[in-house]
Structures are given as structure tokens and as C-alpha cells.
Amino acid sequence: MDIRNLQGYASFFMTIFLVVMLYGYIVHLYRSEKKGEKDYEKYGKIALDDEVTSKPIEGDSHTKNESEEHK
Amino acid sequence: MQSNAALEYDYSVAKLFTYTTILFGFLGMLIGTLIAAQLAWPELNYLIGEYGTFSRLRPMHTQIVIFGFTLSGVFATFYYVGQRVMKVSMAESPFLMFMGKLHFWLYFVGALAAVITLELGMTQSKEYAAFEWPIDVVIVLVWVIWGISVFGLIGIRREKSLYISMWYYIATFLGIAMLYLFNNMSIPTYFASGGIGSIFHSVSMYSGTNDALVQWWYGHNAVAFGFTVPIVAMVYYFLPKESGQAVYSYKLSLLSFWGLMFVYLWAGSHHLMWSTVPDWMQTMGSIFSIVLILPSWGSAINMLLTMKGEWNQLTENPLIKFMVLASTFYMLSTLEGPIQAIRSVNAIAHFTDWIPGHVHDGVLGWVVFMIMAGLFHMAPRMFKREIYSKKLMEAQFWLQTTAVVLYFTSMWIAGITQGMMWRAVDEYGNLMYSFIDTVAVLHPYYAIRALSGVLYLVGFLMFAYNMIKTMTSSRVLTEEPQFRSPMA
Amino acid sequence: MFHWLEKNPFFFSVGVFVVIAFAGLIEILPNFAEASRPVVGVKPYTVLELAGKNVYKKDACYECHSQLIRPFKSETDRYGQVSLSGEYAYDRPFLWGSKRTGPDLHRVGNYRTTDWHENHMWDPKSVVPQTVMPAYKHMFTNLADVDTAYAEALTVKNVFNTPYDAPNGIKLGTLDEGRAAALEDAKAIAANMKNKDVKDAVARGEIPEIVAIIAYLNRLK
């Protein structure tokens, strides 16, 4: 198989894969909200209530332990 | 985690970048207006000898508005929004404070060096990536330092979930890093030849068609990750905050994000239609450009719906006006772009003035409006003074809106006229017009465009004056406004 | 899984990067081997032509002139044969341009002469009264950077195996040979020019930018 074909197949399958993921994400977003597992809309409030002293919408005790994510 | 009562957000780096946004904005638009006028009245080319020709000024215009104005605006808003949506102050980390300051000064020195080298004609001649290799090295360093700031701030955040604006800032960081590095791959000839000739000169790692592919993969996506992604980050924060309305649908904003990431990069090859790049790639570019309407409109509609039931704010608050109009222009240019990417339309539009017309309804109407609105919103909070003049802001809004409309309408007509004249044939199949006919016919449109440039520049000066007055002599605020920015 | 990504900025960033990097990988890389093959008859640039190409870049001619003839009858009638990918094999960087404020130049060497360029660069309006192109009088006094052009040729020869010094090809040789060859070429062009200062400069062994850029433009065929 030459590189042209490989390129074609790779792009085709990656496109399909990404489309499936995107649709999966839509389903995930709405289903988890319907089941009450997760309220995505509350994150919208992060922008409104953004004082350094205000309570995080979603904060927990090990926030500070993520130093491995420093880059 | 206890919050310290005395703890406040630290805006010192955001302020520094605010100053350069204004400085480079003025400089870039001044040059832009001058070169627009040069096309209508060529005598204006000789104001400062060889350094004042269209040749030298046009690359400076594009690089200054992109790397000077827009990037400063992106950095300024990041150092403001980043702290706030993650509920962490830069004052909490001396290391990040230092990095922020280093970021600014290195950026500023690099920007000055870039302006000087371009004026001297040192360029690798790639559009929107004109800088020679020493400047590129500085830009990479600046970018790495910004990355440290972004991820460092994320590392010490209190708000566990990243707000959608942060997603877009992260994507800006990653996208530009990748694009810029690959497009600017070049070999300094001085070192490769054992010390002959100019030390600034370099030769591209790619040749011909390949170079074109990489360049327009970059060129298109630098627009994506410089003019779209970070500006969307701004609108997702500033519009909700200024209006006091949460984003209409947070889920839609997440979807649009992934949609945009997925589709945008594919669309780059639409710049190379009818050229010597493979057909399937041109088709791919065309199709994805059209699909791109969906995620772009997803964000824009989300913004407009955020104002649902609150449209009265549009008449009361000029800042909301700026942002709503910016979202509208975003919709316009993201519809116009895909239309130009249709192959038959592209055949007429490519190489004509319709392309600068398209670029400018995007940047003047969307990017600049949004950055100015963001800075206006930040000013009372950073400088603890109310905005100097509401009237001036209103006047500026109408002046600049008129300018944008004049700009794109004149360039639409100019572009299509030119495209049609190039291909017009008489009954025997001979070309009807010589090239110079198609230049001469554009004079009135070039004149209108120059006028629109002057109007826009005056508007920007009003913005600068309003900001400087706000910083220095406006009424002092005793407490930080929550939503709507106070203005006199 | 999605929710986990949203909460882990590091892996989130990796995810974003994969999605955006993928298009480039597929679109660009595999095309490289094919598009860089020169068509028969295309030769690398001489040192003087390269020096001229650098003047073309320095004064940003590409901002207003394209070098890409598209496959339409109106374009081939106006500018000549359609551009082929292999014709650009030695163009680093490519100079297709993105805007035609002026006409395409990819085959300008076929229908414009040294004499025409000289008049046009000195005062475009004397040749084309309605033009909006500025005059480039400074090209008649600024000297072309031959050494840098030689360094560029040597670099592409060593790094990218551009066929300099091949049998029947363009000779590059040492720096001194390169300078001498450039001057030789410059004399041939200056012989067809009438500007006294330029002729004198070339006689003294100096090469003004105008000579170099005309060498480059004449080669575009």
C-alpha cells in the first residue's frame, strides 16, 4: 500500500472516529444532565461569581495537589 | 482552603499588556490607513524614502496588528480572565508574578526588534510569519513563558472546573505553538555556509508547493487560533459578566469548542484552490470550510441568546453594543469565508480585493471590537476608576461601525468587479480588458476604503483617549463593580 | 471519560493537541515526497538570480504580484502556460503571493525585457500611466547582497542536495568564483541598461539591486 492510500484511509477513519466522538459527547452531555448526574449549566456561573474570595463552584481539598500538571 | 481577606487579584501584568494593546493598535491601524491611501493615491509612497513604500509598510501593518495588537489583547485579557475564572490571584505565587513580568518585557523587546527588522526589509517573506529567525527564537521563548503562566495558574487554581474561556486560551496556546514552529522551520544560511553573508538570512526547510501548503496551513489556522479562538474566549467571559447573564447554554459552548477544534484545521487548504496542490485536498478544504459554519455559529448564537430577555441592555450599555455587534460580525465573516471557499466562487474571488475585505470585516468588526470591549470592561476593575465617558464610547461605536461597513462593501464590489473583468472575454473569446484597466477601475473603491480607514483610526484614537483618561483622571470607585461597568 | 478529560487540564490539552495536529499530519506530510520533484529543465537559481530573489522579498513584491497561473483560459491567455508544481522545486520560500494588485509574474521573463524593467522600476507611470505601483529608485543605488545569496546557494546545496556543480548544471564553486560569476552575469544585464550610475557601479565591480532583480525577473519563464 503506498502512502497515498494510507493517507486516504487514515483521514477517512480518523474523521469517522472524531464524528462518533463528537456525537458521543452530545449524548453524554444531555444524558448525564437528564439522569441528574451532572449539571453542566452551573459552570456558566463561574464567570459571574468570580471574586477571589467567592466559593468555587467545584473545588475540593486536593486542588493544591496538582503540581504535577505544571508545565 | 481559607481565603485570605486581604487577598486581591493582581492585575499588574494585565495592565502592562493593556498599554501595548493600545500602542500597537494605534501604530498598526495608522500604517494600515496609510497603505490603504497609497493604493488610491500612489504619491503617498514617497513620504520617507524607501522605508515608506507599500512594500515595507504592508508587512509591518499585518505583523503589528497580529503580533502587536491582537496578541497583546489576548495576553492582557488572559492575565485578567485567567485569574478570575480560576479564583486564584497571581499575587499568591511570586514565581508566576516573575514569569508574567518576564513575559511582558521579553515580548515588548521582541516586538520592537521585529518592527525595526521589518522596516529594514529583513523578512522571510511568508505572509503573517515574516520575521527572520532571530525574532522567531524570541517569539518561541515568549510563547513558552506564556505557557508556563497558563499552566502554572491552572496548577494553583481554586476553581476545579475550567471555565470555557480557559479551554479556548489553552487551545490558543497549543495551536499557535504548533503552527508557528512548523511554518518557520528554516536554516540560517550564515551558520550553514560557514560564516558567509548576513547573519539574519535564512532559507526555508520546505520548497515550492510544500512550502505553500505549510504556509497556508499556518496562515489559515493562525487566523483560527489568533483571531477566533482567543476572541471567543473573551466573549464567553466578558459578555456574561458585563450583562450579568450566564451563558445561554454551557453545553452548546462545549460542543462548539470541540467542533471548532475538529473542523478548523482541515479547512486550510482552501487558500490553495486551483493551484498545484492535489485535488482531493482542495475539495477537503472546501467541504470542511462549509462545515465550519456550524461550530462558529454555535458560539455566536449562544452569545446572542445569552442576551435573551435582556435586550434593553443593548440600548443602555454601549459595551454590550460592542460585544453584540462583534458576535454579529463573527457570524457574517464565518459565513462569508465558507462561501469564498466554494471552488467556483474562489475562482473569481482569489487574488482580488474581496479577500482583504473578508479579512477586515472579521478583524475590524469582530477582533478589534471584542478586544476594545474587553479592555473597557477591565479598566474600571484594574484601575479602580469609572470609565471616563459614555458619550465618547457611543460616538466611537457608530463611527467605527460605519467604517467597517464602508470597508467591506467597497472591497466586495472592488473584488467582484476585478474578478469578473479578469475573466471577461468578447464574442471571439479574446480577453476584453488589459490588466491596467482592472486597476484603474478600482480607484473609487480604494478611496472609499482609505476613508473608512481614517474613520476607524479616529474611532480607535477615541478609544485610546477614553482609556487613558479612565486610567488617570476619572472618578475613583470605592468598590469593584459586579456586572455592568460604571461610566460617566 | 469526557468528564474526566474536563477535569484534567493536562490530558485535556493532549486531547486538543491530537485533534488539531491530526489534520496537518494527514494533509501535509505525505505530499512532501511528490511535490518537491523538479520538472525537467528547471535549474537551480544562479547566485545573481538568488540575490535578485532576495531583493524581491526585501521589497515585498509578493504582496501585490502572484506567481501562480491558474488553470483557466483567461489566465493562460493573459500570462502563459499553467503553473506546474515541479517548477517551484527550488523556491525556498515559495512566492505565489495571495493578491494581484498587479499582474502575475510567473512567466514575466517571456514578455518583458531588461530595458522595460529598468524604465518601470525607475518610474512606473512613465511606462503604465494609470499604475498604482510605487517607483523603486533606491534599487538603483542600494547594492545587492551577493555574499548572502552565495551562502543561501551553498546551504541548499549542502542541506537539501540542490544540484549545483552538477554536470551541465549551474556552477557554484567557491565564494570567490560565485562572486565572479555573479559579476559576469551582472555585466551582461548592465550592457542592456542605460542608467549611467548603474553601468559605472557594475564596471567598478559592484552590483546594484536593480541588476539583481532584473536577473531574477528575466529568469521567470
Side-chain angles (χ1 to χ4, degrees), chain B residues 345-392:
Chain B
V345 180
N346 188 272
I348 297 181
H350 195 55
F351 289 136
T352 72
D353 280 300
W354 192 5
I355 306 299
H358 165 60
V359 173
H360 282 83
D361 57 50
V363 290
L364 297 178
W366 156 242
V367 178
V368 183
F369 268 37
M370 197 52 230
I371 289 178
M372 290 189 306
L375 296 188
F376 267 140
H377 173 91
M378 286 154 59
R381 284 130 181 121
M382 291 196 299
F383 300 101
K384 305 199 177 359
R385 290 169 186 272
E386 69 177 359
I387 294 173
Y388 177 68
S389 164
K390 182 181 177 183
K391 273 206 185 95
L392 195 61

Short mmCIF file of all heavy atoms in Angstrom, two decimals, chain B residues 345-392:
data_model
loop_
_atom_site.label_atom_id
_atom_site.label_comp_id
_atom_site.label_asym_id
_atom_site.label_seq_id
_atom_site.Cartn_x
_atom_site.Cartn_y
_atom_site.Cartn_z
N VAL B 345 -16.71 30.01 -6.64
CA VAL B 345 -16.62 31.37 -6.11
C VAL B 345 -15.16 31.75 -5.95
O VAL B 345 -14.73 32.86 -6.28
CB VAL B 345 -17.35 31.50 -4.76
CG1 VAL B 345 -17.24 32.91 -4.22
CG2 VAL B 345 -18.80 31.10 -4.90
N ASN B 346 -14.40 30.76 -5.46
CA ASN B 346 -12.98 31.00 -5.24
C ASN B 346 -12.26 31.40 -6.52
O ASN B 346 -11.35 32.23 -6.51
CB ASN B 346 -12.35 29.75 -4.64
CG ASN B 346 -10.91 29.98 -4.21
OD1 ASN B 346 -9.99 29.82 -5.01
ND2 ASN B 346 -10.71 30.40 -2.98
N ALA B 347 -12.69 30.81 -7.62
CA ALA B 347 -12.05 31.11 -8.90
C ALA B 347 -12.13 32.60 -9.20
O ALA B 347 -11.22 33.18 -9.77
CB ALA B 347 -12.71 30.31 -10.01
N ILE B 348 -13.23 33.23 -8.81
CA ILE B 348 -13.37 34.67 -9.03
C ILE B 348 -12.74 35.48 -7.90
O ILE B 348 -12.07 36.47 -8.12
CB ILE B 348 -14.86 35.06 -9.14
CG1 ILE B 348 -15.47 34.37 -10.35
CG2 ILE B 348 -15.03 36.57 -9.23
CD1 ILE B 348 -16.92 34.71 -10.54
N ALA B 349 -12.94 35.00 -6.66
CA ALA B 349 -12.56 35.83 -5.51
C ALA B 349 -11.07 35.83 -5.24
O ALA B 349 -10.52 36.84 -4.79
CB ALA B 349 -13.30 35.35 -4.27
N HIS B 350 -10.39 34.72 -5.53
CA HIS B 350 -8.99 34.61 -5.15
C HIS B 350 -8.16 35.67 -5.86
O HIS B 350 -8.42 35.99 -7.02
CB HIS B 350 -8.48 33.21 -5.50
CG HIS B 350 -7.16 32.89 -4.83
ND1 HIS B 350 -7.00 32.98 -3.47
CD2 HIS B 350 -5.96 32.51 -5.32
CE1 HIS B 350 -5.75 32.66 -3.16
NE2 HIS B 350 -5.11 32.36 -4.26
N PHE B 351 -7.17 36.20 -5.16
CA PHE B 351 -6.27 37.23 -5.68
C PHE B 351 -6.94 38.60 -5.80
O PHE B 351 -6.31 39.56 -6.23
CB PHE B 351 -5.69 36.86 -7.06
CG PHE B 351 -4.69 35.74 -7.05
CD1 PHE B 351 -4.74 34.72 -8.00
CD2 PHE B 351 -3.68 35.71 -6.10
CE1 PHE B 351 -3.81 33.70 -8.01
CE2 PHE B 351 -2.74 34.68 -6.10
CZ PHE B 351 -2.81 33.68 -7.05
N THR B 352 -8.22 38.73 -5.45
CA THR B 352 -8.87 40.05 -5.58
C THR B 352 -9.02 40.73 -4.21
O THR B 352 -8.68 40.15 -3.18
CB THR B 352 -10.29 39.95 -6.16
OG1 THR B 352 -11.14 39.39 -5.16
CG2 THR B 352 -10.33 39.10 -7.41
N ASP B 353 -9.57 41.92 -4.23
CA ASP B 353 -9.77 42.69 -3.01
C ASP B 353 -10.91 42.18 -2.14
O ASP B 353 -11.11 42.67 -1.04
CB ASP B 353 -10.03 44.16 -3.36
CG ASP B 353 -8.74 44.88 -3.66
OD1 ASP B 353 -7.89 44.93 -2.77
OD2 ASP B 353 -8.55 45.36 -4.80
N TRP B 354 -11.64 41.21 -2.65
CA TRP B 354 -12.68 40.62 -1.79
C TRP B 354 -12.03 39.93 -0.58
O TRP B 354 -12.60 39.89 0.51
CB TRP B 354 -13.51 39.61 -2.58
CG TRP B 354 -14.76 39.18 -1.87
CD1 TRP B 354 -15.26 39.65 -0.68
CD2 TRP B 354 -15.69 38.16 -2.29
NE1 TRP B 354 -16.42 39.01 -0.35
CE2 TRP B 354 -16.70 38.09 -1.32
CE3 TRP B 354 -15.75 37.32 -3.41
CZ2 TRP B 354 -17.77 37.19 -1.43
CZ3 TRP B 354 -16.81 36.43 -3.50
CH2 TRP B 354 -17.81 36.37 -2.53
N ILE B 355 -10.80 39.41 -0.78
CA ILE B 355 -10.14 38.68 0.30
C ILE B 355 -9.74 39.62 1.45
O ILE B 355 -10.14 39.38 2.59
CB ILE B 355 -8.92 37.90 -0.24
CG1 ILE B 355 -9.35 37.00 -1.42
CG2 ILE B 355 -8.26 37.08 0.86
CD1 ILE B 355 -10.38 35.95 -1.07
N PRO B 356 -9.03 40.72 1.17
CA PRO B 356 -8.82 41.68 2.26
C PRO B 356 -10.14 42.20 2.83
O PRO B 356 -10.22 42.48 4.03
CB PRO B 356 -8.03 42.82 1.62
CG PRO B 356 -7.60 42.37 0.28
CD PRO B 356 -8.25 41.07 -0.03
N GLY B 357 -11.15 42.32 2.00
CA GLY B 357 -12.46 42.74 2.50
C GLY B 357 -12.98 41.76 3.54
O GLY B 357 -13.42 42.16 4.63
N HIS B 358 -12.90 40.48 3.23
CA HIS B 358 -13.36 39.43 4.15
C HIS B 358 -12.55 39.47 5.43
O HIS B 358 -13.10 39.43 6.53
CB HIS B 358 -13.22 38.07 3.45
CG HIS B 358 -13.31 36.90 4.39
ND1 HIS B 358 -14.42 36.66 5.16
CD2 HIS B 358 -12.44 35.91 4.67
CE1 HIS B 358 -14.21 35.56 5.87
NE2 HIS B 358 -13.02 35.10 5.61
N VAL B 359 -11.23 39.54 5.30
CA VAL B 359 -10.37 39.57 6.48
C VAL B 359 -10.77 40.73 7.38
O VAL B 359 -10.90 40.58 8.59
CB VAL B 359 -8.90 39.72 6.06
CG1 VAL B 359 -8.02 39.93 7.28
CG2 VAL B 359 -8.44 38.51 5.29
N HIS B 360 -11.02 41.89 6.75
CA HIS B 360 -11.25 43.07 7.58
C HIS B 360 -12.64 43.11 8.20
O HIS B 360 -12.79 43.69 9.26
CB HIS B 360 -10.94 44.35 6.80
CG HIS B 360 -9.48 44.62 6.70
ND1 HIS B 360 -8.68 44.03 5.75
CD2 HIS B 360 -8.64 45.35 7.47
CE1 HIS B 360 -7.43 44.42 5.92
NE2 HIS B 360 -7.38 45.23 6.95
N ASP B 361 -13.66 42.52 7.57
CA ASP B 361 -14.92 42.54 8.35
C ASP B 361 -14.79 41.63 9.56
O ASP B 361 -15.39 41.87 10.59
CB ASP B 361 -16.20 42.33 7.51
CG ASP B 361 -16.22 41.06 6.71
OD1 ASP B 361 -15.96 40.01 7.29
OD2 ASP B 361 -16.53 41.11 5.48
N GLY B 362 -13.94 40.59 9.42
CA GLY B 362 -13.65 39.76 10.59
C GLY B 362 -12.84 40.52 11.65
O GLY B 362 -13.24 40.59 12.80
N VAL B 363 -11.72 41.08 11.24
CA VAL B 363 -10.85 41.67 12.28
C VAL B 363 -11.37 43.00 12.81
O VAL B 363 -11.36 43.22 14.01
CB VAL B 363 -9.39 41.83 11.80
CG1 VAL B 363 -8.74 40.47 11.68
CG2 VAL B 363 -9.31 42.59 10.51
N LEU B 364 -11.84 43.89 11.92
CA LEU B 364 -12.30 45.19 12.42
C LEU B 364 -13.60 45.04 13.21
O LEU B 364 -13.79 45.64 14.25
CB LEU B 364 -12.52 46.17 11.26
CG LEU B 364 -11.29 46.55 10.43
CD1 LEU B 364 -11.70 47.48 9.30
CD2 LEU B 364 -10.24 47.20 11.29
N GLY B 365 -14.49 44.21 12.66
CA GLY B 365 -15.80 44.08 13.29
C GLY B 365 -15.81 43.15 14.50
O GLY B 365 -16.56 43.35 15.44
N TRP B 366 -15.01 42.14 14.44
CA TRP B 366 -15.07 41.10 15.49
C TRP B 366 -13.89 41.21 16.45
O TRP B 366 -14.07 41.50 17.62
CB TRP B 366 -15.16 39.74 14.80
CG TRP B 366 -14.71 38.50 15.51
CD1 TRP B 366 -13.71 37.67 15.13
CD2 TRP B 366 -15.28 37.90 16.68
NE1 TRP B 366 -13.60 36.62 15.99
CE2 TRP B 366 -14.55 36.72 16.96
CE3 TRP B 366 -16.32 38.24 17.54
CZ2 TRP B 366 -14.83 35.89 18.03
CZ3 TRP B 366 -16.60 37.41 18.62
CH2 TRP B 366 -15.87 36.24 18.86
N VAL B 367 -12.66 41.07 15.93
CA VAL B 367 -11.49 41.02 16.81
C VAL B 367 -11.29 42.34 17.56
O VAL B 367 -11.24 42.37 18.79
CB VAL B 367 -10.22 40.66 16.00
CG1 VAL B 367 -9.00 40.66 16.89
CG2 VAL B 367 -10.39 39.32 15.33
N VAL B 368 -11.20 43.43 16.81
CA VAL B 368 -10.89 44.71 17.45
C VAL B 368 -12.04 45.14 18.37
O VAL B 368 -11.81 45.59 19.49
CB VAL B 368 -10.59 45.79 16.40
CG1 VAL B 368 -10.20 47.09 17.10
CG2 VAL B 368 -9.47 45.35 15.49
N PHE B 369 -13.28 44.98 17.91
CA PHE B 369 -14.42 45.35 18.76
C PHE B 369 -14.39 44.58 20.07
O PHE B 369 -14.61 45.12 21.14
CB PHE B 369 -15.75 45.10 18.02
CG PHE B 369 -16.23 46.30 17.26
CD1 PHE B 369 -15.34 47.13 16.62
CD2 PHE B 369 -17.59 46.60 17.19
CE1 PHE B 369 -15.78 48.24 15.91
CE2 PHE B 369 -18.04 47.71 16.50
CZ PHE B 369 -17.13 48.53 15.86
N MET B 370 -14.13 43.29 19.97
CA MET B 370 -14.17 42.45 21.17
C MET B 370 -13.02 42.81 22.11
O MET B 370 -13.22 42.90 23.32
CB MET B 370 -14.09 40.98 20.73
CG MET B 370 -14.51 40.01 21.81
SD MET B 370 -16.11 40.40 22.51
CE MET B 370 -15.68 40.36 24.24
N ILE B 371 -11.83 43.04 21.55
CA ILE B 371 -10.70 43.38 22.42
C ILE B 371 -10.95 44.73 23.10
O ILE B 371 -10.72 44.87 24.31
CB ILE B 371 -9.38 43.40 21.61
CG1 ILE B 371 -9.00 41.97 21.22
CG2 ILE B 371 -8.26 44.04 22.43
CD1 ILE B 371 -7.75 41.87 20.38
N MET B 372 -11.48 45.70 22.33
CA MET B 372 -11.74 47.00 22.94
C MET B 372 -12.80 46.88 24.04
O MET B 372 -12.66 47.46 25.12
CB MET B 372 -12.21 48.01 21.88
CG MET B 372 -11.10 48.41 20.92
SD MET B 372 -11.54 49.79 19.83
CE MET B 372 -13.04 49.20 19.10
N ALA B 373 -13.83 46.07 23.77
CA ALA B 373 -14.88 45.88 24.78
C ALA B 373 -14.29 45.24 26.03
O ALA B 373 -14.61 45.63 27.16
CB ALA B 373 -16.02 45.03 24.22
N GLY B 374 -13.43 44.25 25.82
CA GLY B 374 -12.80 43.58 26.95
C GLY B 374 -11.99 44.56 27.78
O GLY B 374 -12.10 44.61 29.02
N LEU B 375 -11.20 45.39 27.11
CA LEU B 375 -10.36 46.34 27.85
C LEU B 375 -11.21 47.38 28.57
O LEU B 375 -10.93 47.76 29.71
CB LEU B 375 -9.37 47.04 26.91
CG LEU B 375 -8.33 46.13 26.25
CD1 LEU B 375 -7.30 46.95 25.51
CD2 LEU B 375 -7.63 45.22 27.23
N PHE B 376 -12.30 47.82 27.91
CA PHE B 376 -13.21 48.77 28.56
C PHE B 376 -13.80 48.14 29.83
O PHE B 376 -13.94 48.80 30.86
CB PHE B 376 -14.36 49.13 27.62
CG PHE B 376 -14.12 50.38 26.80
CD1 PHE B 376 -14.51 50.43 25.47
CD2 PHE B 376 -13.53 51.50 27.36
CE1 PHE B 376 -14.30 51.58 24.71
CE2 PHE B 376 -13.33 52.65 26.61
CZ PHE B 376 -13.71 52.68 25.28
N HIS B 377 -14.14 46.85 29.73
CA HIS B 377 -14.71 46.18 30.90
C HIS B 377 -13.68 46.05 32.02
O HIS B 377 -13.99 46.21 33.20
CB HIS B 377 -15.23 44.79 30.50
CG HIS B 377 -15.69 43.96 31.66
ND1 HIS B 377 -16.99 43.97 32.11
CD2 HIS B 377 -15.02 43.11 32.47
CE1 HIS B 377 -17.10 43.15 33.15
NE2 HIS B 377 -15.91 42.62 33.39
N MET B 378 -12.43 45.76 31.62
CA MET B 378 -11.39 45.55 32.62
C MET B 378 -10.97 46.84 33.31
O MET B 378 -10.60 46.83 34.49
CB MET B 378 -10.16 44.91 31.95
CG MET B 378 -10.34 43.46 31.60
SD MET B 378 -9.27 42.94 30.21
CE MET B 378 -7.64 43.30 30.83
N ALA B 379 -11.00 47.95 32.54
CA ALA B 379 -10.42 49.20 33.05
C ALA B 379 -10.95 49.62 34.43
O ALA B 379 -10.14 49.89 35.32
CB ALA B 379 -10.63 50.32 32.02
N PRO B 380 -12.28 49.68 34.66
CA PRO B 380 -12.73 50.13 35.98
C PRO B 380 -12.27 49.19 37.09
O PRO B 380 -12.10 49.61 38.23
CB PRO B 380 -14.26 50.10 35.87
CG PRO B 380 -14.56 49.99 34.43
CD PRO B 380 -13.38 49.35 33.77
N ARG B 381 -12.09 47.92 36.75
CA ARG B 381 -11.68 46.96 37.77
C ARG B 381 -10.17 47.00 38.02
O ARG B 381 -9.71 46.82 39.13
CB ARG B 381 -12.11 45.55 37.36
CG ARG B 381 -13.61 45.34 37.57
CD ARG B 381 -14.27 44.76 36.34
NE ARG B 381 -15.71 44.59 36.54
CZ ARG B 381 -16.63 45.17 35.78
NH1 ARG B 381 -16.29 45.96 34.79
NH2 ARG B 381 -17.91 44.97 36.01
N MET B 382 -9.41 47.25 36.93
CA MET B 382 -7.96 47.27 37.10
C MET B 382 -7.50 48.58 37.73
O MET B 382 -6.61 48.59 38.56
CB MET B 382 -7.27 47.10 35.73
CG MET B 382 -7.43 45.72 35.14
SD MET B 382 -6.26 45.41 33.80
CE MET B 382 -6.69 46.66 32.60
N PHE B 383 -8.11 49.67 37.26
CA PHE B 383 -7.63 50.99 37.72
C PHE B 383 -8.51 51.58 38.80
O PHE B 383 -8.26 52.67 39.28
CB PHE B 383 -7.53 51.94 36.52
CG PHE B 383 -6.60 51.43 35.45
CD1 PHE B 383 -7.09 50.82 34.30
CD2 PHE B 383 -5.23 51.53 35.61
CE1 PHE B 383 -6.23 50.33 33.34
CE2 PHE B 383 -4.36 51.04 34.64
CZ PHE B 383 -4.86 50.44 33.51
N LYS B 384 -9.57 50.88 39.14
CA LYS B 384 -10.48 51.31 40.20
C LYS B 384 -11.04 52.72 39.96
O LYS B 384 -11.15 53.53 40.88
CB LYS B 384 -9.78 51.23 41.57
CG LYS B 384 -9.21 49.83 41.83
CD LYS B 384 -8.95 49.58 43.28
CE LYS B 384 -8.46 48.18 43.59
NZ LYS B 384 -8.32 47.24 42.50
N ARG B 385 -11.32 53.00 38.71
CA ARG B 385 -11.96 54.26 38.35
C ARG B 385 -13.06 53.95 37.35
O ARG B 385 -12.96 52.97 36.63
CB ARG B 385 -10.96 55.21 37.68
CG ARG B 385 -9.90 55.76 38.59
CD ARG B 385 -8.85 56.45 37.74
NE ARG B 385 -7.72 56.89 38.51
CZ ARG B 385 -7.64 58.08 39.12
NH1 ARG B 385 -8.64 58.93 39.04
NH2 ARG B 385 -6.56 58.41 39.79
N GLU B 386 -14.07 54.80 37.31
CA GLU B 386 -15.12 54.54 36.33
C GLU B 386 -14.65 54.94 34.94
O GLU B 386 -13.70 55.72 34.79
CB GLU B 386 -16.41 55.28 36.71
CG GLU B 386 -16.31 56.77 36.58
CD GLU B 386 -17.64 57.46 36.89
OE1 GLU B 386 -18.62 56.76 37.19
OE2 GLU B 386 -17.67 58.69 36.83
N ILE B 387 -15.33 54.40 33.91
CA ILE B 387 -14.93 54.73 32.54
C ILE B 387 -15.20 56.21 32.29
O ILE B 387 -16.25 56.74 32.67
CB ILE B 387 -15.70 53.85 31.53
CG1 ILE B 387 -15.27 52.39 31.70
CG2 ILE B 387 -15.42 54.29 30.11
CD1 ILE B 387 -16.05 51.41 30.89
N TYR B 388 -14.25 56.86 31.65
CA TYR B 388 -14.25 58.32 31.55
C TYR B 388 -15.50 58.89 30.88
O TYR B 388 -16.10 59.83 31.37
CB TYR B 388 -12.98 58.76 30.82
CG TYR B 388 -12.89 60.23 30.57
CD1 TYR B 388 -12.72 61.12 31.63
CD2 TYR B 388 -12.95 60.73 29.28
CE1 TYR B 388 -12.61 62.48 31.41
CE2 TYR B 388 -12.84 62.09 29.05
CZ TYR B 388 -12.69 62.96 30.12
OH TYR B 388 -12.58 64.30 29.89
N SER B 389 -15.88 58.32 29.71
CA SER B 389 -17.00 58.94 29.02
C SER B 389 -17.85 57.94 28.25
O SER B 389 -17.36 57.24 27.37
CB SER B 389 -16.48 60.02 28.06
OG SER B 389 -17.50 60.37 27.15
N LYS B 390 -19.11 57.89 28.59
CA LYS B 390 -20.05 57.02 27.87
C LYS B 390 -20.36 57.61 26.50
O LYS B 390 -20.47 56.89 25.52
CB LYS B 390 -21.33 56.88 28.69
CG LYS B 390 -22.36 55.97 28.06
CD LYS B 390 -23.61 55.89 28.92
CE LYS B 390 -24.66 55.05 28.26
NZ LYS B 390 -25.92 55.00 29.04
N LYS B 391 -20.48 58.92 26.44
CA LYS B 391 -20.82 59.59 25.18
C LYS B 391 -19.77 59.32 24.13
O LYS B 391 -20.06 59.01 22.97
CB LYS B 391 -20.92 61.11 25.41
CG LYS B 391 -22.27 61.57 25.86
CD LYS B 391 -22.48 63.03 25.45
CE LYS B 391 -23.79 63.55 26.01
NZ LYS B 391 -23.60 64.27 27.29
N LEU B 392 -18.51 59.43 24.57
CA LEU B 392 -17.40 59.21 23.65
C LEU B 392 -17.44 57.77 23.13
O LEU B 392 -17.21 57.50 21.96
CB LEU B 392 -16.09 59.47 24.38
CG LEU B 392 -14.85 59.64 23.51
CD1 LEU B 392 -15.01 60.82 22.57
CD2 LEU B 392 -13.61 59.84 24.37
#
